[in-house]
Amino acid sequence: MTTPVLRRVVRRETHSPRTVATFVAVVLLILALALIGVEIVLSLAAQPALLLGPAAAGGWLVGLPTAQPAGLVIGGSVVLALIGLVFIVLAVTPGRLSKHALQAGDRAVVVDNGVIASALAQHLSEETGLARENVTVGVGHRSVDVTVRPGAGIPLERSAVQAAAEARLTHYRLDGRVRTRVRIERPADTEDEL
């Protein structure tokens, strides 16, 4: 992908916007500001507060360091800091969709991880001679997990399956490096005792 337009299209298709996190943050901020506004109006109208009036809230904040146990103040501060950190991380990091870009020269090709997993599972089934339902593949952003369940007495080397999976992933030309993990799950030898 050489052109900036194609790079922008691929990024838009592989990354998700932070719309939900932004929406939640804005709704919480609006609710907090609305509550503060209602409390101020009720205080000016000499009506009882819904939760905590402005004068009581100010007095509570001023007396907080001395009136409350230090552990409670520190614990509350840590919780608020963690909530703020979550919002900062959501704002800065890009969201990822379950898709991969393929290197296709001057074209933009984006493939769903499920399609890659299905194609790889079918290929490994053909390579190993196992039934398709005995090969399970999961594709993530940076890793591919392969689980193979050969029947009892069927010889199958982990390294051979790993090499076949990596060769096929190289053939797919995924944009970005993925790590391949292979597990061989053999059935437990159970014999009926008479």
Side-chain angles (χ1 to χ4, degrees):
M1 285 175 282
T2 56
T3 67
V5 172
L6 287 179
R7 280 193 298 272
R8 196 170 43 235
V9 167
V10 168
R11 177 155 174 79
R12 188 179 318 134
E13 290 298 320
T14 59
H15 290 74
S16 66
R18 293 297 190 176
T19 308
V20 174
T22 303
F23 179 76
V24 169
V26 168
V27 166
L28 290 175
L29 183 64
I30 288 172
L31 289 175
L33 291 175
L35 179 64
I36 291 170
V38 167
E39 294 293 357
I40 290 173
V41 168
L42 289 175
S43 174
L44 292 175
Q47 297 295 320
L50 292 175
L51 294 176
L52 190 62
W60 180 76
L61 283 175
V62 169
L64 186 63
T66 58
Q68 299 295 327
L72 183 63
V73 174
I74 292 173
S77 300
V78 168
V79 168
L80 287 177
L82 288 176
I83 292 171
L85 183 65
V86 166
F87 278 117
I88 289 172
V89 167
L90 286 175
V92 174
T93 59
R96 295 286 307 184
L97 295 174
S98 60
K99 297 179 181 181
H100 271 86
L102 303 181
Q103 298 171 2
D106 60 346
R107 294 179 299 169
V109 179
V110 177
V111 180
D112 188 76
N113 287 354
V115 173
I116 297 169
S118 180
L120 183 58
Q122 182 64 38
H123 174 74
L124 292 175
S125 171
E126 292 167 1
E127 284 286 317
T128 60
L130 297 174
R132 171 63 182 85
E133 59 267 8
N134 291 335
V135 179
T136 305
V137 177
V139 177
H141 174 59
R142 292 191 179 112
S143 66
V144 174
D145 294 320
V146 178
T147 304
V148 180
R149 292 178 230 39
I154 298 176
L156 191 61
E157 292 295 322
R158 183 184 165 282
S159 59
V161 176
Q162 177 108 18
E166 288 174 353
R168 182 50 68 163
L169 288 171
T170 302
H171 175 74
Y172 293 158
R173 297 179 0 186
L174 299 178
D175 194 23
R177 176 131 171 85
V178 292
R179 184 176 34 122
T180 307
R181 290 187 302 241
V182 174
R183 287 184 311 175
I184 307 283
E185 289 184 357
R186 299 209 179 267
D189 294 330
T190 58
E191 294 181 5
D192 295 333
E193 295 182 7
L194 297 177

